[in-house]
Structure formats: C-alpha cells, structure tokens
Amino acid sequence: MELRNLRHFVALAEERSFTRAAARELIVQSGLSTSIRSLEKDVGGLLFIRGTRPVRLTAAGDALLPEARRTLAAADAARQAVQQVEGVLSGRFTIGTMDSIGHTLPFSAWLAEFALAHPGLEIVVTQQPALRMAELVAGGELDCALLPATRDAGLTVLPLISEPIVLACAPGHPLARKRTVRLADLDGERFVETPPGWAIRALIDETFDAAGLSRRIACEVTDWTTVVDLVAAGVGVALIPEGLNFARLPSPRLIPLADAHLERRLDFVYPAGPAASPATRRFLAVLESR
C-alpha cells in the first residue's frame, strides 16, 4: 500500500469530485482513477460507489478514511521529526481559525512570518465552527487551531485574548436607550444568531437555559458582518464580541450586560505531548514570543 494512493483516496473522499481531487493533487483524472483502483486492489474492496455525483464512499471507504488520515499524519510526523533535526520543516501544516479572528489578533501577520521562515511547509488554513475544529484537532485531522477552548476538549491550551460579549441592537430599538441591560430584559426578544456548533452560540444557549429565559431566533447566519447588518436593520438583537471591527459596517448600539459576565476567548489549542507535530511546536514558539 503506497502513501501516494492513500493521499489520493483522502483527497477524493474530502473533495467528493474526481475533478477537484485531481486538481488538488496536481495529477490528471485518469491518474487519480488508476491510483484509487490500485488502492482498492491492495485493500481488497471497493472504496467508492461509481457513477454517483457527488462521489460517495462505500462502507469499506468509510472504514478506511480515518485510518488513512492517521497513516498520512504519522508519515508526515516521521518526516518532520527527521527534518527537524536538520532544522528544516516540510510537509503539510493544517491550522483552523475562526472567521472573525482578524478583528482581534494579527493572525495574518503571524502566519506570514511563519510561512516565510519555513518555505518547505504546505500550510492549509481552514475555517469551521469552533466545536467542530476542536474535534478535528483531537482526532488528528488538524494540527492545531485558534478557537475558544472548552474545558473537556482534552487539548493543550495557550490562552491568547479575551473580550466582553455585549448586546447589539438597532439605534431605534427600545433597549437602545439603556446604559446597561440585564439578561431578563432580553427574555422573549428576537435574536440574530450564529449557528449551533459555534462556541459563542453554545455559551449563549447555556446562559439563557441556566437563567430560565427564552429567545426567538429570527435568523441564523455564519459570519459576523451579516449578523451586524441584520441587527442594524432591526431584524433582531444579538450578543456579539465587543472587539468586532465596525469601521465598514452599520453601527448598531452596543450595550454592556449588567448581571452576566460573558467573554469570548481565543486560545491556541493543540494535542498534548508528542502528538503535537514539529510544525505545531514551532508555530507555538512564534505565538509565545508575541
């Protein structure tokens, strides 16, 4: 079984398209097909259901996928371990971030510095809901991530920054006249929310449940710009990080919470001990120096 074939298999399983997977792996589609057939011969079973769009895994393919990812990660770690002795990093470095991280941390500057210092690395940045990214780091599918860590994630955590969560409402909303608001003031209000799976959504859900309060979800959207746009238009209120950059956005009224201290944290999370890749440990050193 060749690592190249496993890499092609993972690419096709993730892209769900021969065209996109071949482009990702920089080979022609016929070469990708040959590689997949060779792997199927090695493992003794069909891995994909032919003729479906998007491409679908068989039960055997589902079983192989996590093992293939672990094998490729182990091969990368072995290669990097040797090269680290020589002072050179190479292979793939996968890091997860949140959509709004640039508002509060100079992540792009950190990443540029790291990429220029290690040109042999293939750096892949992905943005997904925080809780999902924590699962991917724990499962070895991401090297590390910048997100609000939870206590039960089982990961090593480097705290980076925290900021208050405040109420945002349209200037004409009745609550806009208040200097502070209590959670009870928000009972039954229409909210513009981020989707389940976002760490801030989980925090707000838990806070309202613990207080015995309810809210009506008017809209769920996946980026803060749209949240603020909808709040400014009067669709609903929202609880948002205070540090969002409103320079190019409509300006909602921001009001502190009087009886609840809610924070949005950003942490650097990575596997404990030797499970952390050499590239992760080197990137950690950059963050600690800042």
Side-chain angles (χ1 to χ4, degrees), residues 8-20:
H8 295 165
F9 163 71
V10 171
L12 183 55
E14 291 177 348
E15 298 295 340
R16 305 181 71 189
S17 160
F18 275 90
T19 301
R20 292 195 299 271

Side-chain angles (χ1 to χ4, degrees), residues 73-117:
D76 273 344
R79 187 181 303 110
Q80 289 185 21
V82 173
Q83 291 172 339
Q84 189 177 33
V85 174
E86 304 299 325
V88 177
L89 288 179
S90 67
R92 175 175 285 203
F93 175 54
T94 56
I95 180 169
T97 71
M98 298 171 61
D99 176 64
S100 59
I101 193 170
H103 296 315
T104 50
L105 291 171
F107 174 70
S108 295
W110 293 343
L111 191 64
E113 175 186 344
F114 187 71
L116 291 171

